[in-house]
């Protein structure tokens, strides 16, 4: 069955669409809200804000977290800031400019209505966070401070030193904890969702594993909210926490939810370079550093001199040279490809040659070391601990790495997937960033979805449902639990010779080499042969230690890598079918003479939404056309 992709975008001017939707949506009266149960999977920024907001409204909420505490969600790693169109700097910012910058930054591959709503809601997020006590940086007079981020020529990024994500998460966690204390939210930590239960076409529950005891449990609800983050760890090495995975998103996809634009992955330009095969993850250096750091490489190939010995006239500040209007604050995809180009030409730095310099010498001379330390001290400390180098006296070495994923489960304007009753928030959905996410917009989207969008849109669905219509004793719960048991027994019975990490590392190398910063037809076709072969070997030769009835991290990893081995193939298939370059998806066959991305708006101005057709069957590619009534399609230029 071909997916029914009704975006449910309200009619009327874009400025009025969100207010129209809120007014036109059916409501659940306060006395009835307590009859409905909502299952929220994930407790990072999107999940914690959604769970606390829905509980505050009166719904019964059960929240599931695979970490030992919501405070350990990967949201804490978003260091640099959160965008909002408050125009405190009086530098020309507005809701419209944030909307335009985000559409342009996503290379005109996002849905206009969703992006405009995000820009509108952004101004409320800051007020919410301040009221919760989030310690945003302030100017001398006490007003909230702003700094710049890539892809914008205004200062709209609010920040709390280099730990903005952590502070915002603590705000959401405090709101969630209040609701837990009141008994409005039941919190389940160290619990992983393994499957979705669909009854009569509607999402009615989930099957989870207790990660401490190994026990499988069933939970029924009137709606399911998925806020489980992105799939960047398909590359093995990424800036994501090691527990980040695609399992929840992939398994709802296999139950009927469309998956949109899986090839859209973001490579972040400002990461500590790979140092060897021993690494299990990479470390992000915040994009905020590009406000005061200048990026350069030696002009001469193979120049191995110490950076302080290379004179100014022998340095290539390539972002300032190529993109004079934006300089070091060029968007992430453009800055990443420029770094790759410099290193591929033989001018990379460090032992591997896969690195460029991020130099603070000029800023320290201009502002003083204390001023730089006040802005970025914790980031400098982290860099020093990891590399044993002092970034105050020697330039940082950075190189691009996988960071964020713009693809995800397809949702309509109400954040509902193609399965009625299944709503998807934050990085887990595809909706707001197009082919490239501008820096400081992940925190914005997660909190917008959780605090302001889902509380308004979920009522329209619940108002048409009978509360408690399906319980965990429904036969479908037992059926799906049996399927999970069978999968677990199969994994444990293989008793091969290779570890789960071995297979994950091999998959990551295929993905990075053939579906990473640059993709081409031949490489993607090779990957589409290599991944199924690797997957076949996995099911013959993986060794999963331990048992199913206890704490077993080997089994946890095995299930997640099994899903990555299926999902990676869909990513490569999506990248092969999208015969254009846009944002983070760069096909080498579609570039200008000077190496810039070339879109094909005639054939690919759409979201590609994949439908799972069953084991062994090729997925079906569906299309949601993207219409641009407010922003004119144009060549994306930052020069």
């Amino acid at each position: 069955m071909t997916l029914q992709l009704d975006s449910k975008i309200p009619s009327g001017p874009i400025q009025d669409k969100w207010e129209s939707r809120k007014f036109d949506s059916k409501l659940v009266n306060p006395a009835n809200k307590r009859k409905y149960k909502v299952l929220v999977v994930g407790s990072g920024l999107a999940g914690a804000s959604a769970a606390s907001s829905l509980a505050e409204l009166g719904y019964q909420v059960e929240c599931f977290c695979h970490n030992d505490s919501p405070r350990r969600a990967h949201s804490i790693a978003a260091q640099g800031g959160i965008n909002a169109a408050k125009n405190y700097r009086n530098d020309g910012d507005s809701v419209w400019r944030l909307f335009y910058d985000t559409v342009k930054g996503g290379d005109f591959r996002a849905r206009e209505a969703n992006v405009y709503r995000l820009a509108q809601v952004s101004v409320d997020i800051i007020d919410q966070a301040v009221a919760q006590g989030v310690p945003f940086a302030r100017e001398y007079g006490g007003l909230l401070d702003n700094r710049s981020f890539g892809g914008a020529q205004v200062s709209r990024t609010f920040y709390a030193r280099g730990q903005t994500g952590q502070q915002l998460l603590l705000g959401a966690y405090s709101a969630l904890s209040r609701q837990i204390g009141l008994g409005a939210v039941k919190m389940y930590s160290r619990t992983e969702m393994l499957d979705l239960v669909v009854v009569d076409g509607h999402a009615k529950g989930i099957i989870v594993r207790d990660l401490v005891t190994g026990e499988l449990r069933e939970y029924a609800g009137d709606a399911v909210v998925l806020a489980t983050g992105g799939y960047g760890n398909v590359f093995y090495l990424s800036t994501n926490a090691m527990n980040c995975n695609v399992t929840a998103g992939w398994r709802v996809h296999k139950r009927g939810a469309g998956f949109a634009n899986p090839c859209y992955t973001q490579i972040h330009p400002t990461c500590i370079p790979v140092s060897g095969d021993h690494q299990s993850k990479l470390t992000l250096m915040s994009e905020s550093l590009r406000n005061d750091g200048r990026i350069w490489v030696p002009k001469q190939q193979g120049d191995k001199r110490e950076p302080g010995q290379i004179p100014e006239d022998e340095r290539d500040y390539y972002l300032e040279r190529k993109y004079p209007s934006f300089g070091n604050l060029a968007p992430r995809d453009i800055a990443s490809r420029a770094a790759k180009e410099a290193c591929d030409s033989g001018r990379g730095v460090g032992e591997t040659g896969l690195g460029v310099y991020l130099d603070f010498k000029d800023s320290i001379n201009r502002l003083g070391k204390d001023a730089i330390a006040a802005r970025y001290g914790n980031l400098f400390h982290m860099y020093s601990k990891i590399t044993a180098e002092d970034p105050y006296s020697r330039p940082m070495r950075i190189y691009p790495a996988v960071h964020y994923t713009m693809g995800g489960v397809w949702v309509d304007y109400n954040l509902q997937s193609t399965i009625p009753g299944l709503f998807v928030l934050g990085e887990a959905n595809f909706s707001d960033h197009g082919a490239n996410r501008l820096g400081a917009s992940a925190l914005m989207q997660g909190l917008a979805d959780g605090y302001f969008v889902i509380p308004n849109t979920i009522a329209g669905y619940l108002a048409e449902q009978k509360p408690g219509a399906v319980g965990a004793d429904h036969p479908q719960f037992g059926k799906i639990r049996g399927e999970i048991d069978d999968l677990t027994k199969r994994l444990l019975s293989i008793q091969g010779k290779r570890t789960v990490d071995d297979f994950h590392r091999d998959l990551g190398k295929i993905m990075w080499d053939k579906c990473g910063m640059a993709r081409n037809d031949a490489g993607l076709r090779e990957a589409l042969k290599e991944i199924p072969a690797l997957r076949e070997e996995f099911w013959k030769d993986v060794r999963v230690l331990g048992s199913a009835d206890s704490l077993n991290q080997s089994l946890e990893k095995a299930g997640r890598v099994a899903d990555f081995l299926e999902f990676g193939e869909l990513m490569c298939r999506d990248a092969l079918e999208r015969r254009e370059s846009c944002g983070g998806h760069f096909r080498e066959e579609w570039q200008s003479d000077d190496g810039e991305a070339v879109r094909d708006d005639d054939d690919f101005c759409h979201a590609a939404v994949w439908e799972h057709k069953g084991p062994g069957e090729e997925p079906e590619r569906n299309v949601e056309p993207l219409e641009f009534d407010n922003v004119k399609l144009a060549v994306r230029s930052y020069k």
Side-chain angles (χ1 to χ4, degrees):
M1 182 183 73
T2 300
L3 293 173
Q4 300 299 311
L5 301 176
D6 180 2
S7 62
K8 295 186 173 66
I9 298 172
S11 59
I14 196 167
Q15 296 92 335
D16 300 334
K17 289 181 186 296
W18 180 226
E19 289 302 319
S20 297
R21 173 50 41 86
K22 287 190 289 184
F23 181 76
D24 293 340
S25 288
K26 291 186 177 181
L27 300 177
V28 178
N29 105 30
N32 287 337
K33 282 182 178 144
R34 66 178 70 99
K35 300 176 183 178
Y36 290 95
K37 181 185 290 183
V38 181
L39 308 180
V40 178
V41 185
S43 56
L45 278 180
S49 58
S52 59
S53 299
L54 292 171
E56 183 75 38
L57 286 172
Y59 297 108
Q60 301 174 53
V61 177
E62 296 184 352
C63 186
F64 302 84
C65 166
H66 73 201
N67 292 309
D68 55 358
S69 164
R71 290 177 298 173
R72 292 179 63 84
H74 186 61
S75 303
I76 69 167
Q79 302 156 329
I82 176 171
N83 287 332
K86 280 188 170 290
N87 194 28
Y88 282 176
R89 288 290 187 92
N90 196 28
D91 58 358
D93 200 13
S94 63
V95 167
W96 188 269
R97 188 176 292 277
L98 175 53
F99 159 64
Y100 175 80
D101 286 347
T102 306
V103 170
K104 177 183 175 183
D107 217 345
F108 303 91
R109 291 293 177 261
R111 192 190 285 149
E112 270 194 345
N114 287 65
V115 178
Y116 192 85
R117 176 176 63 190
L118 178 65
Q120 282 179 297
V121 167
S122 71
V123 299
D124 299 321
I125 296 171
I126 303 304
D127 297 338
Q128 170 91 2
V130 169
Q132 290 172 333
V134 173
F136 286 122
R138 293 179 180 268
E139 296 176 326
Y140 181 76
L143 298 176
L144 296 182
D145 197 9
N146 293 111
R147 58 189 176 199
S148 302
F149 255 63
Q153 291 178 305
V154 296
S155 295
R156 64 163 67 101
T157 304
F158 296 78
Y159 63 99
R161 296 190 72 189
Q163 49 186 257
T164 314
Q166 180 177 0
Q167 297 301 328
L168 287 167
L169 184 63
L170 288 172
Y173 176 67
S174 68
L176 177 61
S177 297
R178 177 174 181 270
Q179 297 302 322
I180 294 170
L182 292 171
V185 174
K186 289 184 180 178
M187 189 74 215
Y188 299 93
S189 297
R190 297 296 290 142
T191 303
E192 182 170 30
M193 173 183 161
L194 295 184
D195 219 327
L196 180 75
V197 179
V198 180
V199 179
D200 296 330
H202 289 248
K204 290 298 180 184
I206 59 175
I207 311 291
V208 305
R209 173 182 284 120
D210 184 314
L211 296 179
V212 177
T213 67
E215 178 189 4
L216 292 182
R217 295 197 296 261
E218 304 91 5
Y219 293 91
D222 299 296
V224 177
V225 174
L226 208 66
T228 50
Y231 48 83
N233 276 349
V234 69
F235 291 89
Y236 185 69
L237 287 179
S238 81
T239 67
N240 287 253
M242 289 180 64
N243 272 347
C244 294
N245 61 81
V246 77
T247 289
W250 184 244
R251 296 191 182 181
V252 303
H253 171 60
K254 293 172 79 171
R255 293 293 172 194
F259 207 105
N261 303 329
C263 75
Y264 288 169
T265 57
Q266 179 170 80
I267 313 295
H268 197 295
T270 318
C271 302
I272 298 178
V274 174
S275 59
D277 291 338
H278 64 282
Q279 285 179 280
S280 55
K281 75 175 298 294
L282 298 174
T283 302
L284 171 72
M285 289 285 101
S286 169
E287 181 175 318
S288 61
L289 294 169
R290 293 199 278 154
N291 273 287
D292 289 302
R294 300 179 69 195
I295 295 172
W296 63 276
V297 292
K299 288 182 178 179
Q300 182 182 330
Q301 291 183 350
D303 190 336
K304 296 300 180 183
R305 288 178 291 175
E306 286 291 300
Q309 297 174 350
I310 300 176
E312 280 290 318
D313 61 358
E314 295 180 32
R315 301 179 180 189
D316 180 13
Y317 294 92
Y318 56 87
L319 289 177
E320 298 172 31
R321 171 176 56 82
K322 294 180 68 173
Y323 307 102
S325 293
F326 285 76
N328 295 298
L329 289 174
R332 291 175 178 178
D333 59 320
I334 288 172
S336 293
R337 285 197 296 275
K340 181 181 187 296
E341 179 185 287
C343 293
D344 288 350
S345 70
R347 296 182 296 143
V349 303
E351 291 184 11
T352 64
L354 296 177
V356 300
Y357 287 127
L358 178 60
D359 195 339
F360 291 86
K361 179 182 176 182
D362 288 351
S363 293
I364 290 172
N365 288 340
R366 185 178 76 254
L367 301 170
K369 180 178 177 180
D370 289 346
I372 297 300
R375 293 177 183 178
Y376 313 112
N378 61 317
L379 299 172
F380 277 46
H381 177 71
M382 182 166 64
Y383 180 88
S384 178
K385 294 288 283 186
I386 292 171
T387 65
E389 297 176 5
D390 177 18
Y392 291 103
S393 59
R394 178 188 176 90
M396 290 183 179
R397 287 176 297 108
I398 57 169
Y399 192 69
V402 174
H403 178 53
Y404 187 90
T405 54
M406 287 78 66
V409 179
W410 183 90
V411 292
D412 61 20
Y413 188 77
N414 299 328
L415 302 185
Q416 186 169 221
S417 72
T418 54
I419 300 175
L422 175 65
F423 296 80
V424 188
L425 316 186
E427 190 179 0
N429 75 30
F430 91 110
S431 69
D432 292 355
H433 307 297
N436 173 60
R437 177 176 68 79
L438 291 183
S441 289
L443 301 178
M444 177 173 61
Q445 187 208 349
L447 292 180
D449 287 356
Y451 281 138
F452 299 104
V453 180
I454 194 66
N456 284 290
T457 60
I458 199 169
Y461 171 78
L462 292 175
E464 297 181 344
Q465 307 302 309
K466 179 183 177 182
V470 174
D473 56 351
H474 190 282
Q476 190 70 0
F477 282 82
K479 177 179 180 293
I480 294 175
R481 177 176 177 147
E483 293 173 6
I484 294 171
D485 271 329
D486 292 343
L487 177 67
T488 302
K489 289 173 184 175
R490 184 182 175 196
L491 284 168
L492 290 168
S493 69
I494 298 168
Q495 293 296 299
K497 297 177 182 177
R498 296 186 60 189
T499 67
V500 175
D501 282 342
D502 268 350
F503 284 101
H504 195 180
R505 190 178 290 109
D506 285 355
L507 172 65
K509 181 168 175 33
I510 294 170
M511 297 301 298
W512 179 249
D513 290 345
K514 313 224 167 126
C515 196
M517 264 195 284
R519 300 101 185 257
N520 59 55
D521 185 277
L524 290 166
R525 292 184 187 279
E526 288 172 10
L528 287 170
K529 293 178 181 177
E530 293 170 359
I531 294 172
L534 183 65
R535 185 168 64 245
E536 184 178 355
E537 186 181 354
F538 173 88
W539 286 107
K540 290 179 179 177
D541 200 28
V542 73
R543 186 174 185 86
V544 182
L545 304 174
S547 65
D549 56 0
S550 64
L551 174 69
N552 190 342
Q553 291 185 316
S554 179
L555 180 60
E556 286 176 43
K557 284 184 181 179
R560 295 166 187 171
V561 172
D563 291 330
F564 277 140
L565 283 164
E566 294 180 356
F567 176 72
E569 184 176 348
L570 184 68
M571 279 184 67
C572 293
R573 189 183 296 271
D574 188 46
L576 181 65
E577 292 293 329
R578 186 166 285 278
R579 294 178 295 277
E580 65 168 351
S581 289
C582 56
H585 167 67
F586 189 77
R587 283 287 297 268
E588 292 176 348
E589 303 95 325
W590 283 275
Q591 58 180 303
S592 63
D593 292 341
D594 56 352
E596 301 296 332
V598 173
R599 296 195 319 268
D600 179 353
D601 291 332
D602 291 336
D603 296 320
F604 290 97
C605 191
H606 59 242
V609 188
W610 293 88
E611 180 181 2
H612 183 72
K613 306 299 285 188
E617 300 292 325
E618 287 198 1
E620 181 178 338
R621 187 180 191 269
N622 299 270
V623 164
E624 180 202 344
L626 298 173
E627 299 177 2
F628 291 90
D629 300 321
N630 300 276
V631 174
K632 182 181 178 181
L633 284 168
V635 174
R636 181 175 173 240
S637 175
Y638 291 91
K639 294 185 174 182

